[in-house]
Amino acid sequence: MMRIGYILAGARQLLTMRGLAGPRRGRNLGSLGIIEDGALLVRDGRIAAVGSTADIMRRYGRHRAVVDAAGKVVAPAFVDSHTHLAFPAPRLLDYEMRIAGRSYEEIARAGGGIYSSVERVRAGCEGELRSNILYFAQQALTYGTATIEVKSGYGLDTESEIGLLEAIRDVGRVVSPELVPTFLGAHLVPRDSSRRTYVRRVIEEMIPRVAAAGLAEFCDVFCDRIAFSVGEAEQILTAAARFGMKAKLHGEQLARTGAALLGARLGAVSVDHLERAGPKEIRALARSQTIATLLPGATFHLGRHDYAPARALVDGGAAVALATDFNPGTCPTLSMQMILSLACTEMRLSPAETMAAATVNAAYAVGRGERLGRLDAGMQADIAVFDVEDYREIPYYFGMNHCWMTIKRGRIAWSREGFTTDEHG
Ligand code: NIG
Ligand code: FE
């Protein structure tokens, strides 16, 4: 069965993202390589051929199983390139306080915020944590997401941070979505440590141990006025690079700090958030290979209106990706479809641009652009099928789940019929 494979046929629109190398910039972001009435041959977990249904059926149709996607939209599965999915519990009091008008910083001072998640992790909630990671990874699949970057960052001491990364690794072995681990020890300075001591601990103790155990591909730093300075971020990311961890940054979210310039200069894989980025940051990102990852769900959930300058970033030539930022404080959604709606309505990206930003460019934001995010011969068969006739309906009908089937490495990992374990390809 694996060798023979199967055909996914009859797609009203097959969004291939073919024809261009590398992440999409400027006018190219909206070019989706659509095949009408398209089909794919899936074999050995990869895409073996792409074309019109007539062509693929004529060339490969004999003796092969056909998954009928008639009338539907077939696209690369979403890559959610920025999440804090490994958290122990929702923060419902924070939510109510914010609705009542308190700010993110005020809530943190009142005992909520990131520190309350940290306390819970340190109090020992291994079971809770692993159950959550498992549950959320499975949920993401039902929304068309097949790859999820997951950060640590709710431990803020060596043992707890390693515990979080081990939980991500262990759950990643049993769920269908691919979990990409990122070390975010530099999320905040913990309350029981001075800034200098903590930065030193991150560099001298945590990074070497995380690297030695192979627990993280990326190192991220929350570079902002309430977290780490540009200088501290540079020290931490430079140390991580020596241990083979690639750089990511939370930058320009609450204040304009210069994090984006640092990211571009260091060749970070991505700088994420960018709500406060101005022309200088946009120019620096446009000239770099660094992906500008936008997280409109966080702006929405915080009840703010200062969305990142997405239009200027795209038009200025930066490679823009979209992600959820799924976390208990600023963005409790796993729905990339909802993120697309926000990016269209609030950031004025076109539906086509959001589809590319959430697939091909997002794949580059986790260093997997040569394997994921496009539906072309040789790419991994990570596919989402949506129960709509036109891809623009995905952001248009907002807050709804249009996903009908999610395929990971050729295997039907979820469909509206339920989760499956059958080997289909
Ligand atoms: O991306 N910016 C920092 N970290 C998260 C929030 C995490 C939390 O509130 O638990 C973010 O918005
Ligand atoms: Fe984040």
Side-chain angles (χ1 to χ4, degrees):
M1 186 68 185
M2 278 300 268
R3 203 175 47 78
I4 296 168
Y6 64 94
I7 291 170
L8 183 63
R12 175 89 178 237
Q13 294 178 331
L14 171 61
L15 277 48
T16 65
M17 312 288 165
R18 286 198 296 186
L20 291 161
R24 306 283 158 105
R25 295 169 191 269
R27 220 170 289 133
N28 287 337
L29 185 62
S31 98
L32 304 181
I34 296 177
I35 302 176
E36 282 173 21
D37 193 9
L40 294 165
L41 170 65
V42 176
R43 199 165 52 199
D44 290 329
R46 299 198 159 264
I47 292 164
V50 182
S52 68
T53 297
D55 179 40
I56 295 289
M57 289 305 287
R58 189 178 57 247
R59 283 157 61 198
Y60 306 103
R62 271 164 57 99
H63 310 306
R64 281 204 171 88
V66 174
V67 175
D68 185 10
K72 299 188 168 58
V73 167
V74 173
F78 292 127
V79 174
D80 193 348
S81 67
H82 180 139
T83 84
H84 306 252
L85 180 151
F87 63 83
R91 302 210 302 262
L92 304 174
L93 287 175
D94 291 20
Y95 185 43
E96 287 184 320
M97 283 168 76
R98 201 164 38 249
I99 292 166
R102 314 279 289 274
S103 73
Y104 192 62
E105 280 106 325
E106 280 172 325
I107 292 165
R109 278 199 295 277
I114 293 173
Y115 289 126
S116 64
S117 295
V118 171
E119 268 164 39
R120 192 140 176 165
V121 166
R122 289 183 179 180
C125 57
E126 274 290 286
E128 218 177 5
L129 189 71
R130 283 166 192 249
S131 306
N132 272 355
I133 300 172
L134 187 111
Y135 174 76
F136 289 132
Q138 293 280 79
Q139 281 296 305
L141 204 58
T142 72
Y143 289 92
T145 300
T147 303
I148 313 169
E149 187 258 13
V150 186
K151 301 174 197 299
S152 67
Y154 294 118
L156 308 186
D157 65 40
T158 307
E159 297 314 321
S160 308
E161 285 294 314
I162 287 182
L164 285 163
L165 290 167
E166 285 173 346
I168 296 163
R169 174 198 63 198
D170 294 347
V171 175
R173 288 177 176 155
V174 298
V175 290
S176 297
E178 185 173 335
L179 304 187
V180 179
T182 294
F183 169 61
L184 179 60
H187 198 182
L188 284 184
V189 177
R191 283 188 165 138
D192 53 9
S193 177
S194 78
R195 171 170 294 276
R196 273 194 54 190
T197 313
Y198 189 65
V199 171
R200 190 154 358 104
R201 190 166 308 137
V202 168
I203 291 172
E204 291 174 8
E205 194 175 298
M206 296 191 191
I207 287 171
R209 282 194 52 194
V210 167
L215 286 170
E217 275 180 50
F218 296 97
C219 180
D220 192 347
V221 176
F222 184 15
C223 185
D224 216 307
R225 62 161 188 248
I226 61 163
F228 296 88
S229 69
V230 168
E232 290 161 343
E234 178 162 11
Q235 284 176 48
I236 293 166
L237 295 177
T238 308
R242 282 200 294 274
F243 284 90
M245 277 187 258
K246 288 170 278 180
K248 280 182 170 282
L249 274 164
H250 278 71
E252 323 294 356
Q253 181 187 13
L254 306 168
R256 194 169 165 202
T257 60
L261 306 183
L262 174 68
R265 179 158 62 77
L266 291 182
V269 174
S270 71
V271 175
D272 305 29
H273 274 293
L274 298 168
E275 285 82 343
R276 312 253 155 213
K280 203 167 153 198
E281 288 76 24
I282 294 170
R283 266 197 308 278
L285 290 166
R287 284 201 212 101
S288 74
Q289 295 302 310
T290 301
I291 305 285
T293 299
L294 309 183
L295 312 165
T299 312
F300 170 76
H301 184 74
L302 290 175
R304 301 173 65 131
H305 302 282
D306 52 348
Y307 286 88
R311 217 28 300 146
L313 280 158
V314 172
D315 297 340
V320 168
L322 288 165
T324 61
D325 196 13
F326 181 60
N327 77 74
T330 66
C331 191
T333 187
L334 279 166
S335 171
M336 287 292 286
Q337 296 169 66
M338 183 66 198
I339 298 305
L340 267 48
S341 298
L342 291 171
C344 290
T345 300
E346 297 285 3
M347 295 173 146
R348 310 210 166 257
L349 296 187
S350 70
E353 289 172 328
T354 65
M355 285 303 293
T359 55
V360 52
N361 280 11
Y364 282 100
V366 290
R368 285 158 167 73
E370 303 306 318
R371 168 159 65 89
L372 303 176
R374 284 175 284 164
L375 299 181
D376 204 359
M379 299 298 282
Q380 185 168 304
D382 283 21
I383 305 165
V385 185
F386 297 96
D387 196 9
V388 291
E389 294 186 347
D390 184 306
Y391 72 88
R392 292 173 296 185
E393 292 174 60
I394 298 169
Y396 171 80
Y397 290 111
F398 72 92
M400 298 170 64
N401 186 9
H402 303 288
C403 189
W404 181 78
M405 176 181 281
T406 308
I407 296 171
K408 181 67 184 175
R409 283 197 192 87
R411 208 179 123 254
I412 298 175
W414 176 82
S415 80
R416 286 229 176 125
E417 316 296 311
F419 293 95
T420 67
T421 50
D422 298 355
E423 291 292 330
H424 282 267

